[in-house]
Amino acid sequence: MMQGKRVLLIIGGGIAAFKSLDLIRRLKERGVAVTPVLTRAAEEFVTPLSVSALAGEKCYRDLFDLTDEAEMGHIQLSRVADLVVVAPATADLMAKMAQGLAGDLASTLLLATDTPVLVAPAMNVRMWEHAATQRNIQTLQGDGVLFVGPNEGDMACGEHGPGRLSEPLEIVAAIEAAFGTGPLASKRVLVTSGPTHEPIDPVRYIANRSSGSQGTAIAQALMRQGAEVVFVTGPADAARPQGAQIVEVQTAREMLEAAQAALPVDAAICAAAVADWHVIGASDQKLKKSKDGTPALEFGENPDILKTIANHQTARPTLVVGFAAETNDVIDNATAKRLRKGCDWIVANDVRPETGIMGGDENAVTLISAEGADTWPRMSKTDVARRLATAVSDALTKASQT
Ligand code: CTP
């Protein structure tokens, strides 16, 4: 429940500023009080009147406004809320935050505040990807600033890529998670993700094409609902989910060890594409070509992490979820896999190349449980993650009531 909380909302100057009006409305609906602050640039996009009418409160704009200072000094204003939210956060505002500049009201409040800060960036994709912006993000993350988004998609400037402001409801969910009041608050979830690398020698390994993007999206969606996430990942290309406890591993055997060390958890989501085999007696020196022919590699079976957790004698999580990437008889194979592994749900998908799912941004999944198969429409991997996180929180809530 967010009822009774207060957000200091700093609205930066970008085309996405119009979404802040909807954000205010959504927060007010949930009983959250909003103290709005507009930067000078933001006033080009939304008016102080519309912002303060929706918030039902005074909209602060100027650092050196004597009336404001008489009513509430800027230091006091920076401390009125349970959370400071910057939405949209422009590249300029984030650069000021990273540098500790305090030349206007918004940046002064951000420097003076002692409450947690959540940033929802919005900018052109090139600005987002610029080394300077990425450096600033790293600095801010290091300072403990929380982030939501940006999302990927078509932008007002006509370009495509990361930089879109998160949707108001996504920002609300991130605010809820920051308050520690989401439906998964106080729940601990293990997520395995990415491929594993199985060494042949110090420079060669056996791997697979998993990017880890679905696992990262799932971890992010779970955290948005308030979960504490332990993210055990192989060497994946995808960005790591900020705010999760990240455990980096290489091999399936290391992944099992890390997953077991994370127990007890309320739920385990095994999204990793784990290699089924490792090379027995991998060489500790680089293998050389030899006149005697090619090296004969001998394989040993890897431990099954999902199966081990699902059949754990002392610390089986309330909910254990596996994935099944199939190329034929998807539902039949996944249904059999659920029973074989002993898990509660299997998220099955058809990864034939013509579906474009492997390595793509979208996924089409069927959730297999003891109740049967529920096929979801094709949607982005982020939306699959969000829907799965909601299903996980519903299941954990139900389990805690029985
Ligand atoms: N999995 C695991 N540990 C393994 C192999 C798989 O935890 N050693 C998990 C995966 O993370 C996934 C699920 O099991 O959630 C299914 O993976 P998949 O590779 O489809 O299963 P396999 O048992 O390898 O089945 P198949 O014979 O179809 O390869």
Side-chain angles (χ1 to χ4, degrees):
M1 289 290 287
M2 304 166 83
Q3 182 92 30
K5 299 274 188 191
R6 178 172 287 274
V7 161
L8 179 72
L9 176 64
I10 295 174
I11 303 172
I15 189 80
F18 75 93
K19 286 192 193 171
S20 64
L21 299 177
D22 192 28
L23 175 62
I24 295 173
R25 193 172 63 85
R26 306 280 185 178
L27 289 170
K28 297 287 291 177
E29 276 170 6
R30 289 162 176 76
V32 177
V34 178
T35 306
V37 175
L38 275 181
T39 64
R40 274 275 156 74
E43 289 188 34
E44 302 290 331
F45 298 93
V46 288
T47 70
L49 186 60
S50 51
V51 168
S52 92
L54 278 168
E57 299 205 15
K58 180 182 170 64
C59 175
Y60 292 86
R61 300 152 63 193
D62 255 324
L63 184 55
F64 301 111
D65 184 317
L66 284 177
T67 323
D68 286 357
E69 286 296 317
E71 282 172 14
M72 187 190 299
H74 58 269
I75 300 295
Q76 198 188 342
L77 182 59
S78 76
R79 316 262 165 93
V80 291
D82 301 288
L83 183 70
V84 178
V85 177
V86 190
T90 58
D92 177 65
L93 201 42
M94 283 169 38
K96 284 182 176 141
M97 288 173 73
Q99 293 298 314
L101 298 180
D104 59 8
L105 179 61
S107 53
T108 302
L109 295 175
L110 286 160
L111 195 61
T113 192
D114 59 359
T115 39
V117 177
L118 172 73
V119 162
M123 68 197 70
N124 166 273
V125 57
R126 301 278 164 265
M127 291 170 79
W128 172 254
E129 285 171 351
H130 196 284
T133 305
Q134 292 300 315
R135 262 197 315 275
N136 292 334
I137 293 163
Q138 293 239 315
T139 303
L140 294 173
Q141 282 171 342
D143 292 345
V145 170
L146 304 167
F147 277 77
V148 50
N151 287 349
E152 206 167 316
D154 292 328
M155 317 199 64
C157 52
E159 291 186 66
H160 182 95
R164 277 168 64 111
L165 182 68
S166 294
E167 292 307 316
L169 283 180
E170 290 176 293
I171 301 175
V172 169
I175 292 172
E176 199 168 21
F179 285 152
T181 51
L184 286 171
S186 79
K187 300 287 184 219
R188 185 175 152 92
V189 184
L190 164 70
V191 177
T192 70
S193 183
T196 62
H197 283 184
E198 308 296 333
I200 296 171
D201 66 18
V203 296
R204 303 182 180 94
Y205 55 83
I206 296 168
N208 61 63
R209 294 186 199 283
S210 167
S211 67
S213 58
Q214 186 68 81
T216 290
I218 290 168
Q220 279 165 340
L222 291 163
M223 285 190 293
R224 297 242 167 89
Q225 300 215 12
E228 174 196 346
V229 171
V230 184
F231 187 76
V232 178
T233 179
D237 290 339
R240 306 299 184 250
Q242 289 301 324
Q245 184 192 326
I246 314 276
V247 187
E248 302 271 350
V249 298
Q250 294 284 324
T251 67
R253 287 162 292 167
E254 288 168 7
M255 188 173 272
L256 174 68
E257 205 174 298
Q260 282 180 314
L263 300 178
V265 293
D266 296 283
I269 321 269
C270 294
V274 186
D276 288 326
W277 307 285
H278 64 271
V279 176
I280 293 177
S283 171
D284 55 10
Q285 288 184 344
K286 188 180 168 201
L287 295 177
K288 298 302 244 181
K289 284 195 284 292
S290 120
K291 286 196 291 300
D292 306 332
T294 53
L297 298 181
E298 195 189 337
F299 291 100
E301 204 168 322
N302 272 334
D304 191 318
I305 299 153
L306 174 63
K307 197 170 178 176
T308 308
I309 292 174
N311 293 284
H312 203 285
Q313 291 302 308
T314 54
R316 187 196 193 275
T318 306
L319 184 69
V320 181
V321 183
F323 276 70
E326 304 286 345
T327 53
N328 57 290
D329 303 316
V330 179
I331 294 185
D332 285 352
N333 282 339
T335 304
K337 198 167 275 182
R338 188 184 84 84
L339 296 173
R340 200 164 65 239
K341 305 266 188 176
C343 58
D344 302 293
W345 299 347
I346 284 274
V347 181
N349 58 8
D350 182 345
V351 292
R352 280 173 301 151
E354 56 268 37
T355 64
I357 283 171
M358 207 77 174
D361 293 335
E362 290 189 335
N363 208 347
V365 309
T366 299
L367 184 68
I368 314 258
S369 67
E371 279 82 52
D374 179 17
T375 299
W376 298 354
R378 192 178 169 115
M379 56 182 91
S380 71
K381 286 185 176 170
T382 318
D383 284 337
V384 168
R386 216 175 285 148
R387 192 159 165 173
L388 185 63
T390 301
V392 168
S393 80
D394 289 349
L396 291 183
T397 307
K398 205 166 144 197
S400 67
Q401 285 163 353
T402 51

